[in-house]
């Protein structure tokens, strides 16, 4: 790699500054909306004191939660793969000497034999990042903007100038939820004064123009935010990321679009945690470590019957497989052993029962 000179360093600094423009725009818009609503609408235009108090109290609650969740989404650093996924110096040296092909894959297979990795590339190879020189954990992807591998990467969002992934996905969802509620509340309480604007029922002051533009902005953002928030709610219910919605994860048996789905309840708990009192707060409560994820799939050879005998036969065949069964990390395995119902309605109950009896075997059969 060619050494970076002063020119490339200056370009990188310029790009970093430009990346903050959308965040600055949202911040300025939020500041103006506060002035327009709290000052010009509530204090100047509202004549009923009770209405003023109720609107200001509800507004400030939504404003605080909106700013808090937005701040956490922006400034929570994305999590990167731990050191165990990085190749050693000897493995890197060996990998550089090998040409792309079976020998190259054999080096990666040996390095990944004890890692909780069950997804592959489209060609069935180990997922490896040349830039970061590491074996990618499941659901991890390299962000070209951050130039890093991000655990459970969803997408890089320019509006927060950050990667949305395992460490801040809950904050991003709450940011969408509170920003939508914020806009809907403003539009609903501003509507009657917006109508008065068109019927000449407002005094001829600068407040009337703030009231008009405030309603237009709130209504416009409500429409766009509702569709985006609804889409991410659907992703959470299916335990998918945006990247996985566009390209389904690939396991040893092939592509499976619902490979990580455990059922609605457990999918929600993976993102929001077990304690519901923290669900609505921008406090990290997601389950796991971002490197390993449970599934409830038990995939057998299509020619074998889905009977206990067939499952035992599959297990015997897997003994000589180059990827031995690797248990999930402790922080995630309880989702598989929980006594509650956790299967999707479309999944064969017999298969799920077999998978629950031996989570390690379940994981091996999925890869």
């Amino acid at each position: 790699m060619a050494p970076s000179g002063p020119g490339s360093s200056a370009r990188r600094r310029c790009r970093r500054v430009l990346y903050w423009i959308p965040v600055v725009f949202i911040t300025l818009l939020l500041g103006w909306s506060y002035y327009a609503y709290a000052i010009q609408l509530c204090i100047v235009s509202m004549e009923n004191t009770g209405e003023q108090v109720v609107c200001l109290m509800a507004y400030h609650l939504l404003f605080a939660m909106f700013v808090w969740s937005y701040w956490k989404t922006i400034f929570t650093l994305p999590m990167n793969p731990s050191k165990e996924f990085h190749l050693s110096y000897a493995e890197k040296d060996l990998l550089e000497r090998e040409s792309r092909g079976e020998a190259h894959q054999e080096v990666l297979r040996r390095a990944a034999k004890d890692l909780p990795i069950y997804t592959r590339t489209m060609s069935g190879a180990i997922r490896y990042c040349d830039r970061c020189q590491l074996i990618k954990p499941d659901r991890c992807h390299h962000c070209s903007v951050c130039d890093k591998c991000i655990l459970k990467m969803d997408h890089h969002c320019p509006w927060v100038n950050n990667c949305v992934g395992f460490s801040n996905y809950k904050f991003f969802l709450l940011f969408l939820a509170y920003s939508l509620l914020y806009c809907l509340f403003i539009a609903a309480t501003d509507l009657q004064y917006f109508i008065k604007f068109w019927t000449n029922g407002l005094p001829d002051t600068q407040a009337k123009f703030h009231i008009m533009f405030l309603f237009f902005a709130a209504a416009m953002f409500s429409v766009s935010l509702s569709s985006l928030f609804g889409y991410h709610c659907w992703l959470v219910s299916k335990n998918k990321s945006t990247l996985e919605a566009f390209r389904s994860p690939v396991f040893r048996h092939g592509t499976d679009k619902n490979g990580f789905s455990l059922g609605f309840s457990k999918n929600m708990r993976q993102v929001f945690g077990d304690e519901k009192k923290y669900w609505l707060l921008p406090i990290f409560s997601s389950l796991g470590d971002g490197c390993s994820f449970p599934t409830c799939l038990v995939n057998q050879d299509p020619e074998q019957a889905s009977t206990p005998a067939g499952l035992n036969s599959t297990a015997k065949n897997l003994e000589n497989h180059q990827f031995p069964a690797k248990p999930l990390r402790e922080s995630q395995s309880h989702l598989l052993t929980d006594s509650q119902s956790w299967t999707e309605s479309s999944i064969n109950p017999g298969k799920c029962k077999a998978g629950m009896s031996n989570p390690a075997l379940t994981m091996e059969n999925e890869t």
Side-chain angles (χ1 to χ4, degrees):
M1 185 180 293
S4 59
S8 61
S9 180
R11 283 194 296 271
R12 282 197 299 269
R13 285 195 295 269
C14 288
R15 281 199 297 268
R16 282 198 294 268
V17 172
L18 291 174
Y19 289 153
W20 283 102
I21 290 178
V23 177
V24 172
F25 171 74
I26 293 294
T27 303
L28 292 175
L29 188 63
L30 191 59
W32 167 77
S33 69
Y34 182 90
Y35 170 77
Y37 188 88
I39 306 300
Q40 295 295 334
L41 178 60
C42 290
I43 296 178
V44 175
S45 301
M46 288 184 182
E47 298 178 351
N48 187 299
T49 304
E51 184 184 9
Q52 283 182 331
V53 172
V54 171
C55 286
L56 283 172
M57 288 179 63
Y59 173 80
H60 279 91
L61 176 62
L62 289 174
F63 181 83
M65 297 305 294
F66 178 13
V67 172
W68 186 8
S69 56
Y70 188 46
W71 177 275
K72 293 285 284 186
T73 307
I74 295 172
F75 294 105
T76 299
L77 294 176
M79 286 181 64
N80 311 120
S82 54
K83 291 182 179 180
E84 63 187 311
F85 291 91
H86 289 75
L87 298 183
S88 65
Y89 288 111
E91 289 168 335
K92 289 178 185 177
D93 184 60
L94 189 59
L95 202 64
E96 288 174 359
R97 291 204 303 265
E98 298 291 348
S99 59
R100 294 279 178 178
E102 185 57 34
H104 190 273
Q105 274 298 299
E106 184 59 34
V107 174
L108 294 178
R109 279 196 285 266
R110 287 199 299 268
K113 65 181 180 181
D114 295 322
L115 297 176
I117 296 173
Y118 309 104
T119 55
R120 310 290 178 84
T121 65
M122 294 297 292
S123 62
I126 298 293
R127 299 171 65 242
Y128 176 73
C129 179
D130 291 307
R131 295 280 296 178
C132 301
Q133 294 187 310
L134 57 81
I135 295 170
K136 294 181 183 179
D138 292 345
R139 315 184 81 176
C140 173
H141 298 275
H142 186 88
C143 176
S144 58
V145 179
C146 299
D147 197 24
K148 293 177 182 177
C149 281
I150 308 298
L151 293 182
K152 197 187 175 185
M153 180 178 172
D154 188 87
H155 69 289
H156 186 94
C157 181
W159 297 106
V160 299
N161 190 29
N162 200 1
C163 257
V164 177
F166 176 74
S167 62
N168 63 351
Y169 188 60
K170 177 191 173 184
F171 305 148
F172 178 73
L173 284 172
L174 291 178
F175 158 60
L176 293 180
Y178 287 123
S179 58
L180 176 59
L181 289 174
Y182 180 79
C183 291
L184 289 173
F185 175 79
I186 289 177
T189 53
D190 187 30
L191 178 59
Q192 60 174 314
Y193 297 94
F194 177 75
I195 294 173
K196 286 182 180 180
F197 171 84
W198 294 105
T199 56
N200 296 320
L202 289 178
D204 192 15
T205 63
Q206 64 170 348
K208 64 188 302 184
F209 296 102
H210 286 289
I211 290 170
M212 180 185 70
F213 289 117
L214 187 64
F215 180 83
F216 274 129
M220 180 183 65
F221 278 105
S222 295
V223 173
S224 58
L225 285 169
S226 60
S227 59
L228 184 59
F229 179 62
Y231 175 68
H232 278 278
C233 286
W234 176 79
L235 289 178
V236 171
S237 71
K238 297 296 183 181
N239 205 343
K240 295 181 181 181
S241 66
T242 299
L243 293 176
E244 290 165 354
F246 283 98
R247 177 178 292 180
S248 301
V250 181
F251 298 88
R252 175 175 173 262
H253 65 279
T255 301
D256 197 317
K257 63 180 181 179
N258 294 316
F260 291 108
S261 182
L262 303 176
F264 179 78
S265 175
K266 293 201 172 185
N267 293 343
M268 289 285 291
R269 286 164 55 192
Q270 268 202 357
V271 175
F272 291 97
D274 289 326
E275 298 190 56
K276 294 183 179 180
K277 62 183 179 181
Y278 296 125
W279 280 19
L280 299 181
L281 298 176
I283 298 172
F284 184 81
S285 57
S286 301
L287 299 181
D289 55 10
C291 292
S292 62
F293 299 89
T295 87
C296 69
L297 298 174
V298 177
N299 298 287
Q300 304 175 25
D301 189 85
E303 297 180 358
Q304 295 175 335
S306 57
T307 61
L311 184 60
N312 291 334
S313 174
T314 304
K316 289 178 181 178
N317 291 336
L318 288 170
E319 287 179 1
N320 296 323
H321 190 258
Q322 56 201 355
F323 294 100
K326 298 175 282 292
L328 286 164
R329 298 169 189 269
E330 231 174 283
S331 57
Q332 280 288 335
S333 61
H334 79 280
L335 282 173
L336 288 176
T337 56
D338 197 329
S339 58
Q340 297 177 7
S341 174
W342 52 281
T343 61
E344 297 274 17
S345 60
S346 60
I347 294 176
N348 187 311
K351 289 185 177 182
C352 285
K353 184 177 179 181
M356 288 179 68
S357 65
N358 190 341
L361 179 60
T362 301
M363 289 296 98
E364 172 57 21
N365 284 339
E366 319 179 322
T367 56

